[in-house]
Amino acid sequence: MSATPPPPPPQQPYGGGQPQLSPADEKLWATLIHAGGILFSWIPALIGYLVLKDRGPFVRAHSATALNFQITIFIAYVVGVILSLVFVGFFVILAAWVIDIVFSIIAAVKANQGEYYTYPIAIRFVS
C-alpha cells in the first residue's frame, strides 16, 4: 500500500495568528496604503496598520510609516484651517496638500520596488 505524503506545513505566522503574506502581496498592500493616503488621508494607513501589521515586517513598516505621515499631514490641515482666519492658513493647506501628494507617490513607488521608505517630515506616533 502506498501512503500519501503529508500536506506541506502552513506558512509560519509573523506575529499574530494569521499566516505571513508573500513578498509580492506585502509590496502590493504597502503600495496601496501609501497611494490611498492621497485620496483618503489617514484612513487607509490606519486600516492597513490594524489589519496587516502582523502579516509581515515589510507591510508593518510601511503601514506604520504611512500612518505617522498621514497623521502629521492631518495636523497640518487642522492648523491650516485654524490659520485661515488670518489668510496664511490657505498657504499651509496648499503646502500640506502638495507635500502629501509628492511624498505619498514617492513612498508608493519605493514600496512597489520592495524598498523601505521613511518620510522626511513625519512625527512618529506609531512604531
Coordinates of all heavy atoms in Angstrom, one line a residue, residues 33-105:
I33 N -1.5 51.2 0.4 CA -1.6 52.1 1.7 C -1.1 53.5 1.4 O -1.7 54.5 1.8 CB -0.9 51.4 2.9 CG1 -1.7 50.1 3.3 CG2 -0.7 52.3 4.0 CD1 -1.0 49.3 4.3
H34 N 0.1 53.6 0.8 CA 0.7 54.9 0.6 C -0.2 55.7 -0.5 O -0.4 56.8 -0.3 CB 2.1 54.8 0.0 CG 3.1 54.3 1.1 ND1 3.4 55.1 2.2 CD2 3.9 53.2 1.1 CE1 4.3 54.5 2.9 NE2 4.6 53.3 2.3
A35 N -0.6 55.0 -1.5 CA -1.3 55.7 -2.6 C -2.7 56.1 -2.0 O -3.3 57.1 -2.4 CB -1.5 54.8 -3.8
G36 N -3.3 55.2 -1.2 CA -4.6 55.5 -0.6 C -4.6 56.8 0.2 O -5.6 57.4 0.4
G37 N -3.5 57.1 0.8 CA -3.4 58.3 1.6 C -3.6 59.6 0.9 O -4.0 60.6 1.4
I38 N -3.4 59.6 -0.4 CA -3.6 60.8 -1.3 C -5.1 61.1 -1.3 O -5.4 62.3 -1.2 CB -3.0 60.5 -2.7 CG1 -1.5 60.3 -2.6 CG2 -3.4 61.7 -3.6 CD1 -0.9 59.9 -4.0
L39 N -5.9 60.1 -1.4 CA -7.3 60.4 -1.6 C -8.1 60.3 -0.3 O -9.1 61.0 -0.1 CB -7.9 59.3 -2.5 CG -7.4 59.3 -4.0 CD1 -8.0 58.2 -4.7 CD2 -7.7 60.7 -4.6
F40 N -7.7 59.4 0.7 CA -8.5 59.2 1.9 C -7.8 59.5 3.2 O -8.1 59.0 4.2 CB -8.9 57.7 1.9 CG -9.7 57.3 0.7 CD1 -9.2 56.5 -0.3 CD2 -11.0 57.8 0.5 CE1 -9.9 56.1 -1.4 CE2 -11.7 57.5 -0.7 CZ -11.1 56.6 -1.6
S41 N -6.7 60.3 3.1 CA -6.0 60.8 4.3 C -5.4 59.6 5.1 O -4.8 58.8 4.6 CB -6.9 61.7 5.1 OG -6.2 62.3 6.1
W42 N -5.7 59.6 6.4 CA -5.1 58.6 7.3 C -5.9 57.3 7.4 O -5.4 56.4 8.0 CB -4.9 59.2 8.7 CG -6.2 59.9 9.2 CD1 -6.5 61.2 9.0 CD2 -7.3 59.3 9.9 NE1 -7.8 61.4 9.6 CE2 -8.3 60.2 10.1 CE3 -7.5 58.0 10.3 CZ2 -9.4 60.0 10.8 CZ3 -8.7 57.7 10.9 CH2 -9.7 58.7 11.2
I43 N -7.0 57.2 6.8 CA -7.9 56.1 6.9 C -7.2 54.8 6.3 O -7.2 53.8 7.0 CB -9.3 56.3 6.3 CG1 -10.0 57.4 7.1 CG2 -10.1 55.1 6.3 CD1 -11.2 58.0 6.6
P44 N -6.7 54.8 5.1 CA -6.1 53.6 4.6 C -4.9 53.1 5.4 O -4.7 51.9 5.6 CB -5.7 53.9 3.1 CG -6.5 55.1 2.8 CD -6.8 55.8 4.0
A45 N -4.1 54.1 5.9 CA -3.0 53.7 6.7 C -3.4 53.1 8.0 O -2.8 52.1 8.5 CB -2.1 55.0 6.9
L46 N -4.4 53.6 8.6 CA -4.9 53.1 9.9 C -5.5 51.7 9.7 O -5.1 50.8 10.5 CB -6.0 54.0 10.5 CG -6.6 53.5 11.8 CD1 -5.5 53.4 12.9 CD2 -7.7 54.4 12.3
I47 N -6.3 51.5 8.7 CA -6.8 50.2 8.4 C -5.7 49.2 8.1 O -5.7 48.1 8.6 CB -7.9 50.3 7.3 CG1 -9.1 51.0 7.7 CG2 -8.3 48.9 6.8 CD1 -10.1 51.4 6.7
G48 N -4.8 49.6 7.2 CA -3.7 48.8 6.9 C -2.8 48.4 8.1 O -2.4 47.2 8.2
Y49 N -2.6 49.3 8.9 CA -1.8 49.1 10.1 C -2.5 48.1 11.1 O -1.9 47.1 11.5 CB -1.5 50.4 10.9 CG -0.6 50.1 12.1 CD1 0.7 49.9 12.0 CD2 -1.2 50.1 13.4 CE1 1.5 49.7 13.1 CE2 -0.4 49.9 14.5 CZ 1.0 49.7 14.3 OH 1.7 49.5 15.4
L50 N -3.8 48.3 11.3 CA -4.6 47.4 12.2 C -4.7 46.0 11.7 O -4.7 45.1 12.4 CB -5.9 48.1 12.5 CG -5.9 49.4 13.3 CD1 -7.3 49.9 13.5 CD2 -5.2 49.1 14.7
V51 N -5.0 45.9 10.4 CA -5.3 44.6 9.8 C -4.0 43.9 9.4 O -3.9 42.6 9.5 CB -6.2 44.8 8.5 CG1 -6.4 43.5 7.8 CG2 -7.5 45.4 9.0
L52 N -3.0 44.6 8.8 CA -1.9 43.9 8.2 C -0.6 43.9 9.0 O 0.4 43.4 8.6 CB -1.6 44.5 6.8 CG -2.8 44.4 5.8 CD1 -2.4 45.2 4.6 CD2 -3.0 42.9 5.5
K53 N -0.6 44.6 10.2 CA 0.7 44.8 10.9 C 1.3 43.4 11.3 O 2.6 43.4 11.4 CB 0.5 45.7 12.1 CG -0.3 45.1 13.2 CD -0.4 46.0 14.4 CE -1.3 45.4 15.4 NZ -1.5 46.3 16.6
D54 N 0.6 42.4 11.5 CA 1.1 41.1 11.9 C 1.3 40.1 10.8 O 1.6 39.0 11.0 CB 0.2 40.5 13.0 CG 0.1 41.3 14.3 OD1 1.1 41.9 14.6 OD2 -0.9 41.3 14.9
R55 N 1.1 40.6 9.6 CA 1.2 39.8 8.4 C 2.6 39.8 7.7 O 2.8 39.1 6.7 CB 0.1 40.1 7.4 CG -1.3 40.1 7.9 CD -1.8 38.7 8.2 NE -1.8 37.8 7.0 CZ -2.8 37.7 6.2 NH1 -3.9 38.4 6.3 NH2 -2.8 36.9 5.2
G56 N 3.5 40.6 8.2 CA 4.8 40.7 7.6 C 5.6 41.9 8.0 O 4.9 43.0 8.2
P57 N 6.9 41.9 8.1 CA 7.6 43.0 8.6 C 7.6 44.2 7.6 O 7.6 45.4 8.0 CB 9.1 42.5 8.8 CG 9.1 41.3 7.9 CD 7.7 40.7 7.9
F58 N 7.6 43.9 6.3 CA 7.6 44.9 5.3 C 6.4 45.8 5.3 O 6.4 47.0 5.3 CB 7.9 44.3 3.9 CG 8.0 45.3 2.8 CD1 9.2 46.0 2.6 CD2 7.0 45.6 1.9 CE1 9.4 46.9 1.6 CE2 7.2 46.5 0.9 CZ 8.4 47.2 0.7
V59 N 5.2 45.1 5.3 CA 4.0 45.8 5.3 C 3.7 46.5 6.6 O 3.1 47.6 6.7 CB 2.8 44.9 4.9 CG1 2.4 43.9 6.0 CG2 1.6 45.7 4.5
R60 N 4.2 46.0 7.7 CA 4.1 46.6 9.0 C 4.9 47.9 9.0 O 4.4 49.0 9.5 CB 4.6 45.7 10.1 CG 4.5 46.4 11.5 CD 5.2 45.6 12.6 NE 5.1 46.3 13.9 CZ 4.2 46.1 14.8 NH1 3.1 45.3 14.5 NH2 4.2 46.8 15.9
A61 N 6.1 47.9 8.5 CA 7.0 49.1 8.5 C 6.3 50.2 7.6 O 6.3 51.4 8.0 CB 8.4 48.8 8.0
H62 N 5.8 49.8 6.5 CA 5.2 50.8 5.6 C 3.9 51.3 6.1 O 3.6 52.5 5.9 CB 5.1 50.2 4.2 CG 6.3 50.3 3.3 ND1 6.6 51.4 2.6 CD2 7.3 49.4 3.1 CE1 7.8 51.3 2.0 NE2 8.2 50.0 2.3
S63 N 3.1 50.5 6.7 CA 1.8 51.0 7.2 C 2.0 51.9 8.4 O 1.3 52.9 8.5 CB 0.9 49.8 7.6 OG 1.4 49.0 8.5
A64 N 3.0 51.6 9.2 CA 3.3 52.5 10.4 C 3.8 53.8 9.9 O 3.5 54.9 10.4 CB 4.3 51.8 11.3
T65 N 4.7 53.7 8.9 CA 5.3 55.0 8.4 C 4.2 55.8 7.7 O 4.2 57.0 7.9 CB 6.4 54.6 7.3 OG1 7.4 53.8 8.0 CG2 7.1 55.9 6.8
A66 N 3.4 55.2 6.9 CA 2.3 55.9 6.2 C 1.3 56.5 7.3 O 0.9 57.7 7.1 CB 1.6 55.0 5.3
L67 N 1.0 55.8 8.3 CA 0.1 56.3 9.3 C 0.7 57.5 10.0 O 0.0 58.5 10.2 CB -0.2 55.2 10.3 CG -1.2 55.6 11.4 CD1 -2.6 56.0 10.8 CD2 -1.5 54.4 12.3
N68 N 2.0 57.4 10.4 CA 2.6 58.6 11.0 C 2.6 59.8 10.1 O 2.3 60.9 10.6 CB 4.1 58.2 11.4 CG 4.2 57.3 12.5 OD1 3.3 57.3 13.4 ND2 5.2 56.5 12.6
F69 N 2.9 59.6 8.8 CA 2.9 60.7 7.9 C 1.5 61.3 7.7 O 1.4 62.5 7.7 CB 3.5 60.3 6.6 CG 3.5 61.4 5.5 CD1 4.3 62.5 5.6 CD2 2.6 61.3 4.4 CE1 4.3 63.5 4.7 CE2 2.6 62.3 3.5 CZ 3.5 63.4 3.6
Q70 N 0.5 60.5 7.5 CA -0.8 61.0 7.3 C -1.4 61.7 8.5 O -2.1 62.6 8.4 CB -1.7 59.8 6.8 CG -1.4 59.3 5.5 CD -1.5 60.3 4.4 OE1 -2.2 61.3 4.5 NE2 -0.7 60.1 3.3
I71 N -1.0 61.2 9.7 CA -1.5 61.9 10.9 C -0.8 63.3 11.0 O -1.4 64.3 11.3 CB -1.2 61.1 12.2 CG1 -2.1 59.9 12.2 CG2 -1.4 62.0 13.4 CD1 -1.8 58.9 13.3
T72 N 0.5 63.4 10.6 CA 1.2 64.6 10.6 C 0.6 65.6 9.6 O 0.4 66.8 9.9 CB 2.7 64.4 10.2 OG1 3.2 63.5 11.2 CG2 3.5 65.7 10.2
I73 N 0.2 65.1 8.4 CA -0.4 65.9 7.4 C -1.8 66.4 7.8 O -2.2 67.5 7.6 CB -0.5 65.2 6.0 CG1 0.9 65.0 5.4 CG2 -1.4 65.9 5.0 CD1 1.6 66.3 5.1
F74 N -2.5 65.5 8.5 CA -3.8 65.9 9.0 C -3.7 67.0 10.0 O -4.5 67.9 10.1 CB -4.5 64.6 9.6 CG -5.9 64.9 10.1 CD1 -6.9 65.0 9.2 CD2 -6.2 65.0 11.5 CE1 -8.2 65.3 9.6 CE2 -7.5 65.3 11.9 CZ -8.5 65.4 11.0
I75 N -2.7 66.9 10.9 CA -2.5 68.0 11.8 C -2.2 69.3 11.1 O -2.6 70.4 11.5 CB -1.3 67.6 12.8 CG1 -1.8 66.5 13.8 CG2 -0.9 68.8 13.6 CD1 -0.7 65.9 14.6
A76 N -1.4 69.2 10.0 CA -1.1 70.4 9.2 C -2.4 71.0 8.6 O -2.5 72.2 8.6 CB -0.1 70.1 8.1
Y77 N -3.3 70.1 8.2 CA -4.5 70.6 7.6 C -5.4 71.3 8.7 O -6.0 72.4 8.5 CB -5.4 69.5 7.1 CG -4.9 69.0 5.7 CD1 -4.9 67.6 5.4 CD2 -4.6 69.9 4.7 CE1 -4.5 67.2 4.2 CE2 -4.1 69.4 3.5 CZ -4.1 68.1 3.2 OH -3.7 67.6 2.0
V78 N -5.4 70.8 9.9 CA -6.1 71.4 11.0 C -5.6 72.7 11.4 O -6.3 73.7 11.5 CB -6.2 70.5 12.2 CG1 -6.7 71.2 13.5 CG2 -7.0 69.2 12.0
V79 N -4.2 72.8 11.4 CA -3.6 74.1 11.7 C -3.9 75.1 10.6 O -4.1 76.3 10.8 CB -2.0 73.9 11.9 CG1 -1.3 75.2 11.9 CG2 -1.8 73.1 13.2
G80 N -3.9 74.6 9.3 CA -4.2 75.5 8.2 C -5.6 76.0 8.3 O -5.8 77.2 8.0
V81 N -6.5 75.2 8.7 CA -7.9 75.6 8.8 C -8.0 76.7 9.9 O -8.7 77.7 9.7 CB -8.9 74.4 9.1 CG1 -10.2 74.9 9.5 CG2 -9.0 73.5 7.8
I82 N -7.4 76.5 11.0 CA -7.4 77.5 12.1 C -6.7 78.8 11.6 O -7.3 79.9 11.9 CB -6.7 76.9 13.3 CG1 -7.6 75.8 13.9 CG2 -6.5 78.0 14.4 CD1 -6.9 75.0 15.0
L83 N -5.6 78.7 10.9 CA -4.9 79.9 10.5 C -5.6 80.5 9.3 O -5.1 81.6 8.8 CB -3.4 79.5 10.1 CG -2.6 79.2 11.3 CD1 -1.2 78.8 10.9 CD2 -2.5 80.4 12.3
S84 N -6.6 79.9 8.7 CA -7.3 80.5 7.6 C -8.0 81.8 8.0 O -8.3 82.6 7.1 CB -8.3 79.6 7.0 OG -7.7 78.5 6.4
L85 N -8.2 81.9 9.3 CA -8.8 83.2 9.8 C -7.9 84.4 9.5 O -8.4 85.5 9.4 CB -9.1 83.1 11.2 CG -10.1 82.0 11.6 CD1 -10.2 81.8 13.1 CD2 -11.5 82.3 11.0
V86 N -6.6 84.1 9.4 CA -5.7 85.2 9.1 C -5.0 85.1 7.8 O -3.9 85.6 7.5 CB -4.6 85.4 10.2 CG1 -5.2 85.9 11.5 CG2 -3.8 84.1 10.4
F87 N -5.7 84.3 6.9 CA -5.3 84.1 5.5 C -4.1 83.3 5.2 O -4.0 82.6 4.2 CB -5.2 85.5 4.8 CG -5.1 85.3 3.3 CD1 -6.2 84.9 2.6 CD2 -3.9 85.5 2.6 CE1 -6.2 84.8 1.2 CE2 -3.8 85.4 1.2 CZ -5.0 85.0 0.5
V88 N -3.1 83.2 6.1 CA -1.9 82.4 5.9 C -2.2 80.9 5.9 O -1.5 80.1 5.4 CB -0.8 82.8 7.0 CG1 -1.2 82.2 8.3 CG2 0.5 82.3 6.5
G89 N -3.3 80.6 6.5 CA -3.7 79.2 6.6 C -3.9 78.5 5.2 O -3.7 77.3 5.0
F90 N -4.4 79.3 4.3 CA -4.6 78.8 2.9 C -3.3 78.3 2.3 O -3.2 77.3 1.6 CB -5.2 79.9 2.0 CG -6.6 80.3 2.5 CD1 -6.9 81.5 3.0 CD2 -7.7 79.3 2.5 CE1 -8.1 81.9 3.4 CE2 -8.9 79.7 2.9 CZ -9.2 81.0 3.4
F91 N -2.2 79.0 2.6 CA -0.9 78.6 2.1 C -0.4 77.3 2.9 O 0.2 76.5 2.3 CB 0.2 79.7 2.3 CG -0.1 80.9 1.5 CD1 -0.5 82.1 2.1 CD2 -0.1 80.9 0.1 CE1 -0.7 83.2 1.4 CE2 -0.3 82.0 -0.6 CZ -0.7 83.2 0.0
V92 N -0.7 77.2 4.1 CA -0.4 76.0 4.9 C -1.2 74.8 4.3 O -0.6 73.7 4.1 CB -0.7 76.2 6.4 CG1 -0.5 74.9 7.1 CG2 0.2 77.3 7.0
I93 N -2.5 75.0 4.0 CA -3.3 73.9 3.4 C -2.7 73.5 2.1 O -2.6 72.3 1.8 CB -4.7 74.3 3.4 CG1 -5.3 74.5 4.8 CG2 -5.6 73.3 2.5 CD1 -6.7 75.1 4.8
L94 N -2.4 74.5 1.3 CA -1.9 74.2 -0.1 C -0.5 73.5 0.0 O -0.3 72.5 -0.7 CB -1.7 75.5 -0.9 CG -1.1 75.3 -2.3 CD1 -2.1 74.5 -3.1 CD2 -0.8 76.7 -2.9
A95 N 0.3 73.9 0.9 CA 1.6 73.2 1.1 C 1.5 71.8 1.6 O 2.1 70.9 1.1 CB 2.5 74.1 2.0
A96 N 0.6 71.6 2.5 CA 0.3 70.3 3.1 C -0.2 69.4 2.0 O 0.2 68.2 1.9 CB -0.6 70.3 4.2
W97 N -1.1 69.9 1.1 CA -1.7 69.1 0.0 C -0.6 68.6 -1.0 O -0.5 67.5 -1.3 CB -2.8 69.9 -0.6 CG -3.4 69.2 -1.8 CD1 -4.3 68.2 -1.7 CD2 -3.4 69.6 -3.1 NE1 -4.7 67.8 -3.0 CE2 -4.1 68.7 -3.9 CE3 -2.7 70.7 -3.8 CZ2 -4.3 68.8 -5.3 CZ3 -2.8 70.7 -5.2 CH2 -3.6 69.8 -5.9
V98 N 0.3 69.6 -1.3 CA 1.3 69.3 -2.3 C 2.3 68.3 -1.7 O 2.7 67.3 -2.3 CB 2.1 70.6 -2.8 CG1 3.3 70.2 -3.5 CG2 1.1 71.4 -3.6
I99 N 2.7 68.5 -0.4 CA 3.6 67.6 0.2 C 3.0 66.2 0.4 O 3.7 65.2 0.2 CB 4.0 68.2 1.6 CG1 4.9 69.4 1.5 CG2 4.7 67.1 2.5 CD1 5.2 70.2 2.7
D100 N 1.7 66.1 0.7 CA 1.1 64.8 0.8 C 1.1 64.1 -0.5 O 1.5 62.9 -0.6 CB -0.4 65.0 1.2 CG -1.1 63.8 1.5 OD1 -0.5 62.7 1.7 OD2 -2.4 63.8 1.5
I101 N 0.8 64.7 -1.6 CA 0.8 64.1 -2.9 C 2.2 63.6 -3.3 O 2.4 62.5 -3.7 CB 0.2 65.0 -4.0 CG1 -1.3 65.2 -3.8 CG2 0.4 64.4 -5.4 CD1 -1.9 66.2 -4.6
V102 N 3.2 64.5 -3.2 CA 4.5 64.2 -3.7 C 5.1 63.1 -2.9 O 5.6 62.1 -3.4 CB 5.4 65.5 -3.6 CG1 6.9 65.1 -3.8 CG2 5.0 66.5 -4.6
F103 N 5.1 63.2 -1.5 CA 5.8 62.2 -0.7 C 5.0 60.8 -0.7 O 5.6 59.8 -0.6 CB 6.0 62.7 0.7 CG 7.1 63.7 0.8 CD1 6.9 64.9 1.5 CD2 8.3 63.5 0.2 CE1 7.9 65.8 1.6 CE2 9.3 64.4 0.3 CZ 9.2 65.6 1.0
S104 N 3.7 60.9 -0.9 CA 2.9 59.6 -0.9 C 3.3 58.9 -2.2 O 3.4 57.6 -2.2 CB 1.4 59.9 -0.8 OG 1.1 60.4 0.4
I105 N 3.4 59.6 -3.3 CA 3.8 58.9 -4.6 C 5.2 58.4 -4.5 O 5.4 57.2 -4.9 CB 3.7 59.9 -5.8 CG1 2.2 60.2 -6.0 CG2 4.4 59.4 -7.0 CD1 2.0 61.3 -7.0

